Amino acid sequence: MGTNLTGKERTIMSKEKVINPTAFILDTCSYLVVEKYTFSLAFELVNKYNFQLFDSIVAAAALQANCSVLYTEDAQHNQLIENRL
């Protein structure tokens, strides 16, 4: 069961403390729309690296955005994906 930061059962943070940093990230970072190509690349990564589908979508989007580093707990330390991520 995941942690809910602002849920009814147990509030860990106020909604403002969650929304404000998120708005800052959206204003200062570049992002891209996940397209059919992103999913096609993700499917290739599933087969090539044996990643889970969601992890592959994240990696495919990072590759599509020309990122060189992806921080995740789901990959091996210093793992190189497609010789550039």
Side-chain angles (χ1 to χ4, degrees):
M1 179 179 219
T3 301
N4 187 332
L5 295 177
T6 62
K8 293 179 182 178
E9 292 181 22
R10 189 175 88 176
T11 300
I12 296 173
M13 297 177 75
S14 70
K15 290 180 181 178
E16 284 129 6
K17 286 188 177 182
V18 174
I19 291 171
N20 290 341
T22 304
F24 173 78
I25 290 169
L26 290 174
D27 287 341
T28 57
C29 295
S30 60
Y31 50 93
L32 57 92
V33 176
V34 178
E35 298 174 340
K36 183 177 179 179
Y37 169 77
T38 313
F39 285 101
S40 296
L41 179 56
F43 299 151
E44 291 176 24
L45 298 176
V46 166
N47 290 322
K48 187 172 184 179
Y49 296 96
N50 199 32
F51 292 157
Q52 295 295 318
L53 179 59
F54 182 76
D55 299 326
S56 295
I57 294 168
V58 171
L63 287 165
Q64 189 176 358
N66 294 315
C67 295
S68 59
V69 177
L70 175 63
Y71 294 102
T72 177
E73 62 185 32
D74 297 321
Q76 297 172 10
H77 185 65
N78 289 327
Q79 182 174 9
L80 188 60
I81 302 169
E82 299 300 289
N83 295 316
R84 58 189 177 107
L85 178 65

